[in-house]
């Protein structure tokens, strides 16, 4: 089945009791049991809920996992996955990951005995050099947030297998429409469903899936034991969003390519980061590993001091954190999404204070280009 069909009919797409073609919102915390010790299919909504289950089956289906898990946010999913590791374990973490991912490792898990090393995972040698005796996993974002670095997932997974490590891939920027990390050898895929999967900036959710039954059992145990589950209403919204993921991603990336090319040719712009540009370091790898380049574009102005003026001059691009919704957003990672990464670490990864990140929406492209043009004109060269 083509993935565009799976978005609509994959996982559980109908209500088996009524035949409703949209899975109903089962807004219940608990379920009547047949007798003592004889629950029906569900017993309590933290442990399982039909609306959430439909979404969980869907993400597993889309990514090629054996089981899916839905959480109250992307970070709740990340928390559960990182809870797989015993104190004293070490992980390798991409140097250019979402600020909240760095923060949960550095400020939450380190307290509980997790060790980590930050490396630029787009260079395999960096990873290999930093594998230690207690290393248990390699955590990668590809494309990364916010520099759109591309990591060779297949090569990382091969290296990881050689050293008995898990490969964890945050697939939020690519979505299963453009990239399926489990097929490339990864063990666990994570998503902020808040972004492209939900797609309309109206829900916060997190999704995780794996193709390893043993890991699935451990994640399932932790999901119930820790309890950071997604509620039925937000499960429904996320599944509703996924139905149109294919057509949205096509529109996002078409617009993003046009915006990236426009920026690259503008005299006020220093550098553009978009994997769809031939000038991007990861362009060839992205062509091989992904079926498109996605909707995120970052760039630097020649005159960094004009960054605030530029983002405030935009009219259609809204100054806001988040990404992946139908509406175009703009933000400055150093002050907004990646403020929790210390400046020296941000700069070592290449995230300058003046970096601007665009989530290119699906509006009419000429309107987006005109908006960028007028804002660039205001800031001059
Ligand atoms: C790549 C990436 N992963 C994970 C997260 C965390 O997701 P959430 O905000 O849904 O907790 C975000 C953003 O927040 C993100 O950009
Ligand atoms: N202030 C928030 C930052 C949210 S960032 C959301 C998203 N991942 C993005 O990259 O835009 C926080 O501190 O968590």
């Amino acid at each position: 089945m083509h993935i565009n069909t799976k978005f609509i009919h994959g996982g559980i797409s109908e209500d088996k009791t009524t035949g409703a073609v949209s899975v109903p919102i089962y807004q219940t915390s608990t379920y009547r049991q047949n007798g003592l010790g004889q629950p029906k299919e569900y017993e309590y909504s933290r442990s399982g809920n039909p609306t959430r289950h439909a979404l969980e089956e869907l993400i597993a289906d889309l990514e090629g996992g054996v089981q899916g898990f839905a959480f109250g946010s992307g970070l709740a999913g990340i928390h559960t996955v990182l809870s797989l590791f015993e104190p004293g374990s070490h992980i390798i973490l991409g140097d250019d990951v979402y600020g909240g991912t760095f923060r949960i490792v550095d400020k939450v898990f380190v307290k509980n005995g997790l060790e980590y090393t930050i490396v630029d995972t787009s260079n395999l040698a960096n990873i290999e050099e930093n594998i230690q005796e207690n290393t248990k996993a390699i955590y990668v974002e590809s494309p990364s947030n916010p520099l759109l670095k591309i990591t060779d997932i297949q090569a990382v997974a091969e290296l990881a297998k050689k050293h008995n490590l898990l490969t964890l891939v945050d697939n939020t920027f690519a979505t299963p429409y453009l990239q399926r990390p489990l097929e490339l050898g990864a063990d666990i895929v994570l998503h902020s469903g808040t972004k492209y999967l939900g797609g309309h900036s109206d829900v916060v959710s997190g999704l995780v899936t794996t193709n390893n039954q043993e890991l699935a059992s451990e994640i399932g145990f932790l999901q119930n034991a820790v309890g950071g589950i997604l509620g039925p209403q937000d499960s429904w919204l996320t599944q509703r969003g996924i139905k149109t993921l294919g057509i949205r991603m096509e529109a996002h990336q078409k617009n993003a390519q046009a915006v990236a090319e426009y920026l690259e040719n503008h005299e006020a712009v220093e550098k553009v980061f978009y994997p769809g540009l031939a000038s991007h370091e990861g362009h060839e790898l992205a062509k091989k590993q992904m079926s498109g380049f996605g909707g995120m574009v970052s760039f630097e102005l020649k005159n960094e001091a004009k960054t605030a003026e530029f983002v405030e001059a935009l009219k259609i691009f809204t100054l806001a954190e988040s990404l992946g919704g139908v509406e175009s957003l703009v933000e400055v990672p150093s002050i907004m999404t990646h403020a929790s990464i210390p400046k020296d670490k941000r700069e070592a990864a290449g995230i300058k204070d003046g970096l601007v990140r665009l989530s290119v929406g699906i509006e009419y492209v000429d309107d987006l280009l005109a908006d960028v043009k007028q804002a660039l004109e205001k800031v001059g060269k």
Side-chain angles (χ1 to χ4, degrees):
M1 198 189 281
H2 190 277
I3 196 149
N4 275 342
T5 310
K6 276 194 191 173
F7 289 142
I8 295 158
H9 297 286
I12 298 170
S13 61
E14 295 185 356
D15 184 39
K16 66 179 175 214
T17 45
T18 63
V21 299
S22 165
V23 175
I25 301 169
Y26 282 92
Q27 194 71 48
T28 186
S29 61
T30 194
Y31 308 81
R32 179 191 294 276
Q33 307 210 354
N34 291 333
L36 189 59
Q38 298 165 41
K40 296 186 173 64
E41 195 177 344
Y42 297 94
E43 54 185 38
Y44 184 67
S45 274
R46 170 163 39 70
S47 314
N49 172 281
T51 319
R52 191 178 92 225
H53 184 56
L55 172 66
E56 294 178 327
E57 290 285 298
L58 179 58
I59 193 63
D61 204 0
L62 297 178
E63 292 281 11
V66 290
Q67 201 176 335
F69 305 92
F71 296 91
S73 68
L75 276 173
I78 293 170
H79 183 275
T80 291
V81 169
L82 293 178
S83 301
L84 291 169
F85 305 112
E86 303 285 337
S89 303
H90 169 261
I91 63 165
I92 291 177
L93 181 66
D95 65 348
D96 166 43
V97 293
Y98 163 52
T101 303
F102 170 81
R103 179 178 59 198
I104 199 172
V105 172
D106 185 58
K107 294 274 188 282
V108 180
F109 280 92
V110 164
K111 270 200 303 210
N112 297 326
L114 188 73
E115 297 168 19
Y116 73 94
T117 305
I118 290 184
V119 308
D120 177 350
T121 55
S122 67
N123 180 345
L124 199 66
N126 289 339
I127 301 180
E128 190 150 27
E129 277 162 22
N130 284 286
I131 295 175
Q132 305 176 178
E133 230 170 74
N134 58 342
T135 305
K136 300 288 181 222
I138 304 167
Y139 190 110
V140 166
E141 273 182 19
S142 186
S144 63
N145 181 3
L147 287 173
L148 290 308
K149 288 184 192 171
I150 306 293
T151 290
D152 189 335
I153 296 171
Q154 192 165 0
V156 170
E158 278 165 18
L159 177 70
K161 285 199 171 70
K162 212 167 84 188
H163 293 268
N164 215 9
L165 315 178
L166 295 179
T167 303
L168 318 179
V169 178
D170 184 326
N171 203 28
T172 299
F173 272 32
T175 81
Y177 182 67
L178 300 179
Q179 170 175 280
R180 286 181 292 283
L182 297 181
E183 290 174 7
L184 298 169
D187 300 288
I188 299 177
V189 171
L190 304 98
H191 283 278
S192 169
T194 317
K195 311 296 161 27
Y196 289 105
L197 300 183
H200 297 75
S201 303
D202 53 10
V203 62
V204 173
S205 65
L207 296 169
V208 171
T209 185
T210 172
N211 52 8
N212 175 319
Q213 193 54 62
E214 213 175 299
L215 285 174
S217 304
E218 286 182 57
I219 295 168
F221 168 80
L222 286 168
Q223 183 194 39
N224 185 43
V226 179
I229 47 106
L230 190 64
Q233 174 92 25
D234 289 344
S235 296
W236 183 88
L237 273 172
T238 307
Q239 177 156 17
R240 204 266 296 263
I242 291 173
K243 292 180 191 195
T244 54
L245 182 62
I247 52 172
R248 283 188 287 107
M249 288 313 287
E250 287 298 338
H252 280 294
Q253 60 189 0
K254 200 163 159 223
N255 284 356
Q257 184 77 38
V259 169
E261 285 171 12
Y262 179 81
L263 288 168
E264 192 171 45
N265 291 314
H266 198 286
E267 56 187 358
V269 173
E270 177 68 22
K271 186 160 185 199
V272 184
F273 303 85
Y274 182 64
L277 294 176
S279 59
H280 188 278
E281 255 180 56
H283 179 63
E284 289 306 320
L285 177 58
K287 269 208 291 200
K288 195 177 97 186
Q289 169 166 289
M290 303 169 71
S291 58
F293 304 111
M296 299 301 296
V297 178
S298 294
F299 69 99
E300 291 158 4
L301 288 172
K302 280 197 177 124
N303 187 350
E304 188 179 279
K306 295 277 188 182
T307 305
E309 206 180 314
F310 170 78
V311 299
E312 288 167 10
L314 286 164
K315 296 190 168 93
I316 296 177
F317 284 83
T318 302
L319 180 62
E321 290 171 353
S322 202
L323 61 108
V326 290
E327 59 289 288
S328 293
L329 302 181
V330 60
E331 66 108 10
V332 177
S334 63
I335 295 175
M336 299 169 76
T337 57
H338 292 69
S340 50
I341 305 180
K343 186 175 162 76
D344 60 326
K345 287 201 171 59
R346 273 200 319 261
E347 285 187 344
I351 307 167
K352 296 198 176 150
D353 281 353
L355 185 77
V356 176
R357 193 193 70 184
L358 301 176
S359 173
V360 182
I362 65 169
E363 300 93 338
Y364 188 61
V365 69
D366 289 352
D367 290 333
L368 296 181
L369 294 173
D371 194 26
V372 172
K373 179 169 184 268
Q374 65 80 23
L376 285 173
E377 270 162 10
K378 284 209 175 110
V379 301
K381 276 190 230 170

